[in-house]
Every structure is written in C-alpha cells, then in structure tokens.
Amino acid sequence: MCKKIITFILSVVMVSANAQTVGDMFMSMPDSLFPYLTQEQRVELVKLKQVDTSTSAVLRSVFNCSVSLDSLEAACMTVNIDSTMTVEMARLATVSGDSLYCLLQTVSAPERETVASIYNKVWEKVSDVDWTDVPLLNRPDTMSDKEFANRTSLIEFRMVEARLENADTIVLKLNVPMLSSEDKRLLQDILVQRRMRWDGEKYRIDTLQ
C-alpha cells in the first residue's frame, strides 16, 4: 500500500512538472502562429499582465495594431488584436497524464468565425477541432417543418464562432453574414448555442445541454 501511495505521488509530481501554463506556451509560441508580437514582446506582455491582473496588458504589434492580453490564468487565456481578431488558449489534461493545448483563433470577416487546433507542448499540431456535425439549428416544437425549412434556406454561409467557457469547454454559435435585419430576426428562433467538452482525448458534443 505504501509503495502504491509513493508511486501515485511521484506520478502527480511528474504531471505537474510537464504541465506548462498557457502563459508559458504563449511565450514560446512560434512566430508563424502569432506574428503580431516577437517572442520578447510576448514575454513582456505576459509579465505586464502578471504584475497587474486587474487590467488588460497592452502592446503595439509589429504591424502597428493593439495587442491586448485581457485574461490570463494557469489553464486559459484571451488575447485581442484590435477589434478584428481574438486568440484564446486552453491547457487540456489527457488520459496519458501529459498536457495538450487548444488554440482558438477568431476573425471578424465580416461576421466572427473561428478555427481551432490542438498542439502538444513543443507546438506540434496534434489535430484540428471539428465541429462540422455540431447541430447549431433547432426546430421549436411550435414551428412546422415547412416553416423551419423556409427559415433554414435563408442561410447561405455557415460561419461558426467559438469561445472558451473554461479550459475544458468550448461554446459554439452560428453567425449568418450577408442577411437583412429582418432575415436575421427570423433566424433567432432556430439558432442555438452548443457546447463541446474535452474528455481527455478529444472535444465531444455535450449531450446534456
């Protein structure tokens, strides 16, 4: 029994040692994934936020735009580049005991749209987060199939916006560009948000919502 306890404690220590914070990962991020700041500037931005956690840390980028570190925790963070792009990162625990990191990049063009990928701690891409089959439309019980089909037909472009609810949960919503205000109003009754939760291996649709 004593040997098992010691083995468990050692495994916890090893996992903790291998689990880099998202701040550490941001500072070591390749320039190809975040070209707005040099590595020295990313280090400076994190240090500024750590000194004063009550306000956003802000620097001017190499492209002369504003880079704002708005939230920084051990397991998740949010960076905004002007009003055109948001970058979020989450640290993910795995069944193997190591950590992976999910990077969400949301661009406003013209509606907000997100791509997300998962990396290991040396910034090798492990996979992309696929929400192609996540149902973001729902027919209310009071709506006929014909009316639901008519409203669904208004959608020409499917732009999915994602954000971190916490380190393990992504919230998804569907944005519908190039529609009139009246058409967007008609869609409000059928658009729904969904959550995907990390289960230690991949993000899966939350069936309890």
Side-chain angles (χ1 to χ4, degrees), residues 47-48 54 61 109 130 140 142 145 173 180 203:
K47 299 304 181 185
L48 286 172
S54 63
S61 83
D130 182 14
T142 56
D145 290 337
K173 61 175 289 191
S180 67
Y203 280 102

Side-chain angles (χ1 to χ4, degrees), residues 44-120:
E44 180 182 358
L45 192 67
V46 170
K47 299 304 181 185
L48 286 172
K49 183 63 176 175
Q50 291 172 338
V51 168
D52 185 359
T53 58
S54 63
T55 61
S56 298
V58 183
L59 290 177
R60 298 302 295 180
S61 83
V62 294
F63 301 114
N64 199 32
C65 57
S66 174
V67 179
S68 172
L69 178 51
D70 296 325
S71 65
L72 176 63
E73 301 175 6
C76 54
M77 66 180 292
T78 302
V79 177
N80 282 293
I81 296 95
D82 280 345
S83 59
T84 61
M85 185 174 184
T86 299
V87 177
E88 297 174 277
M89 196 189 311
R91 185 181 70 199
L92 307 171
T94 69
V95 292
S96 67
D98 207 344
S99 292
L100 295 175
Y101 300 84
C102 182
L103 183 68
L104 288 78
Q105 301 180 78
T106 302
V107 178
S108 301
E111 299 281 349
R112 291 172 66 80
E113 185 174 30
T114 306
V115 293
S117 300
I118 296 174
Y119 296 86
N120 61 22

Side-chain angles (χ1 to χ4, degrees), residues 29-40:
M29 182 183 291
D31 292 345
S32 59
L33 289 177
F34 199 88
Y36 308 94
L37 299 177
T38 65
Q39 184 178 28
E40 291 77 11

Side-chain angles (χ1 to χ4, degrees), residues 6-45:
I6 293 173
T7 301
F8 173 76
I9 293 173
L10 288 174
S11 66
V12 170
V13 171
M14 290 177 65
V15 168
S16 299
N18 288 329
Q20 294 174 289
T21 68
V22 292
D24 295 331
M25 289 295 292
F26 179 67
M27 290 187 288
S28 69
M29 182 183 291
D31 292 345
S32 59
L33 289 177
F34 199 88
Y36 308 94
L37 299 177
T38 65
Q39 184 178 28
E40 291 77 11
Q41 287 177 309
R42 292 196 297 273
V43 172
E44 180 182 358
L45 192 67

